Amino acid sequence: MGVVIVGNLPYLLHLFDPNPLDTLSGLGTVKAPGLIAGNFATDPNVGLTAQALGHLSMVDWIHGHIPWWNPYEGLGSPLAGEMQAATFFPPTAFLLLSNGQVLSHIAVELVAGLSTYFLLRRLALRRPASVAGGIAFALNGTFSWLSHAPTNPVAFLPLLLLGVELAADAHRRSPLRAWSTIGV
């Protein structure tokens, strides 16, 4: 899925600055590197909550603490139950890096594209059609316009459907194994 890398190349080459904290947090005016500074996502949650809470979760994990609680919000609030923090979502670990938001989104887009490709191949579409479908879903508007944590599960919908397809076939041989396929 080199198309996902090419689609995100302007961010990876620092031609654009995708850091939402610079433009959406309101913490001040920051002159960011790149030809055009700014994040063009439609929802400011990516800079206000998703990046900040995700980073806090990952810092807690690095220090050996399960991030159950956010002590920085009022008298405290649950952090593990916060959808924006994505505490138990593996690509959130990228938020420890300076360009972690971009790397996290690339990982999610790769999962979306590859799982769509395999689902379409499973549905007996030819390779060119499956590749086109995988590319179209990997680079769809959900990932480009809404770049906050609640969009993360969208990438796994084709994977779930692929699991259902595999489970339907496996059910004839072993019903228990069929259900575990969906879980995986």
Side-chain angles (χ1 to χ4, degrees):
M1 287 309 221
V3 176
V4 171
I5 302 298
V6 171
N8 288 290
L9 209 52
Y11 294 131
L12 293 172
L13 294 176
H14 302 290
L15 298 175
F16 293 94
D17 182 23
N19 189 352
L21 290 179
D22 293 343
T23 56
L24 298 174
S25 68
L27 294 175
T29 304
V30 177
K31 175 62 179 143
L35 296 175
I36 299 174
N39 184 310
F40 302 105
T42 57
D43 189 357
N45 269 329
V46 67
L48 299 175
T49 55
Q51 187 178 18
L53 293 176
H55 180 76
L56 176 62
S57 293
M58 292 304 107
V59 168
D60 281 355
W61 279 116
I62 290 295
H63 289 100
H65 304 288
I66 298 175
W68 296 118
W69 195 252
N70 178 5
Y72 302 109
E73 188 172 338
L75 296 174
S77 66
L79 185 59
E82 172 72 43
M83 184 182 293
Q84 294 286 0
T87 299
F88 298 107
F89 189 61
T92 306
F94 286 117
L95 293 180
L96 289 169
L97 305 172
S98 62
N99 62 343
Q101 196 81 14
V102 173
L103 296 175
S104 173
H105 288 278
I106 289 173
V108 168
E109 289 172 5
L110 287 172
V111 167
L114 289 172
S115 60
T116 302
Y117 170 79
F118 288 118
L119 173 64
L120 295 176
R121 289 296 290 164
R122 176 78 183 142
L123 296 175
L125 269 72
R126 295 184 185 260
R127 185 164 300 175
S130 298
V131 168
I135 290 170
F137 192 69
L139 299 176
N140 76 49
T142 301
F143 303 125
S144 61
W145 285 90
L146 299 172
S147 55
H148 62 298
T151 60
N152 290 339
V154 172
F156 295 93
L157 291 176
L159 196 57
L160 176 63
L161 291 174
L162 179 61
V164 169
E165 281 291 320
L166 294 173
D169 285 347
H171 183 71
R172 293 179 196 95
R173 294 181 299 260
S174 169
L176 182 61
R177 183 171 161 230
W179 289 107
S180 64
T181 305
I182 294 173
V184 170

